Amino acid sequence: RFSVDVNQHFTDKVKPGDSRFWRFNNSFQTCQLTASEMLEHARQGHATTAAHKKVHNKKANGKITSYRVKLNGTGVQFFQLDFETEDERSTLDFLAGDSFISQHAAYIHTSSSHEEDKPRARVIFTTSQPLTTEEADILYKEYFLAKYPHADDSVNHAAVVAYGAKNCEAMLLENVLDVEVLREEIIEPYQA
């Protein structure tokens, strides 16, 4: 089971500027889910993000943050990569054929903006134990986005939302990334 925050109150995308965005960012619930259960939430259109504390913080300008901010992260146990090239590189078959994804990803699913002639997909990786938000940021910026330059580079931090996609196509791979390997091979060498 993996510690993730799930929002079951909204389906599909709630973007900044939407009048519901504040409520959306304050209504995630921390759950312990299997990869299969996480995928089922995605197929119901529910968003997921890294587990976080349910507290408001005051910014330097006096404004209050929502709950879903990096500062509130309690541990990152899943990563997402979004592929929106709208060509073969964003299809489930192509992504499942990648050796790293096929050996380490938990699941792959089409995104809510996917179309047959303009494919888009998301790859979710789960980890054997939670990482800190700082470690997650290193993995995103120094490893995942370098390894997959055709992935959406706006998906690059621990508090990012993995939006669900109702009735999406999916492949459940059920792999788990070993945190010790990630620390030894990627995070610690970068920090050194």
Side-chain angles (χ1 to χ4, degrees):
R1 294 194 170 269
F2 308 98
S3 183
V4 298
D5 271 24
V6 179
N7 192 319
Q8 298 181 59
H9 303 284
F10 297 87
T11 56
D12 299 322
K13 288 190 176 184
V14 179
K15 297 180 179 180
D18 185 310
S19 62
R20 303 170 300 160
F21 195 61
W22 176 262
R23 280 192 1 251
F24 171 77
N25 283 314
N26 288 298
S27 56
F28 283 84
Q29 179 182 3
T30 303
C31 303
Q32 301 295 317
L33 302 174
T34 64
S36 177
E37 291 167 338
M38 289 172 65
L39 177 56
E40 186 52 36
H41 277 287
R43 296 194 81 236
Q44 291 177 31
H46 300 154
T48 53
T49 191
H52 57 268
K53 295 179 276 188
K54 310 307 184 264
V55 297
H56 296 291
N57 302 287
K58 191 177 271 191
K59 293 182 177 181
N61 63 7
K63 291 189 176 184
I64 302 295
T65 68
S66 67
Y67 295 159
R68 190 187 61 84
V69 292
K70 278 176 38 173
L71 179 65
N72 285 343
T74 60
V76 180
Q77 206 162 5
F78 84 94
F79 297 89
Q80 72 175 22
L81 289 175
D82 284 359
F83 295 91
E84 301 180 339
T85 58
E86 297 184 347
D87 59 25
E88 180 188 47
R89 296 172 297 166
S90 295
T91 63
L92 297 185
D93 288 339
F94 181 87
L95 294 167
D98 178 272
S99 61
F100 185 83
I101 291 172
S102 67
Q103 293 173 28
H104 300 290
Y107 57 91
I108 308 168
H109 69 83
T110 55
S111 65
S112 60
S113 55
H114 167 80
E115 297 176 21
E116 286 302 316
D117 60 335
K118 295 179 181 177
R120 292 179 172 214
R122 177 169 294 125
V123 177
I124 300 291
F125 297 91
T126 53
T127 58
S128 57
Q129 56 187 281
L131 295 167
T132 66
T133 55
E134 293 80 15
E135 290 173 323
D137 287 351
I138 290 169
L139 282 175
Y140 269 122
K141 294 172 182 168
E142 302 303 324
Y143 184 72
F144 284 122
L145 293 175
K147 183 168 182 62
Y148 296 102
H150 58 287
D152 180 355
D153 63 0
S154 69
V155 179
N156 62 13
H157 59 86
V160 71
V161 172
Y163 287 102
K166 282 186 182 178
N167 304 315
C168 60
E169 297 173 44
M171 290 183 178
L172 180 62
L173 304 174
E174 295 192 286
N175 297 307
V176 178
L177 269 169
D178 186 293
V179 166
E180 291 311 312
V181 172
L182 291 175
R183 285 190 174 122
E184 289 171 11
E185 294 181 10
I186 300 166
I187 296 169
E188 290 170 5
Y190 175 79
Q191 290 173 325

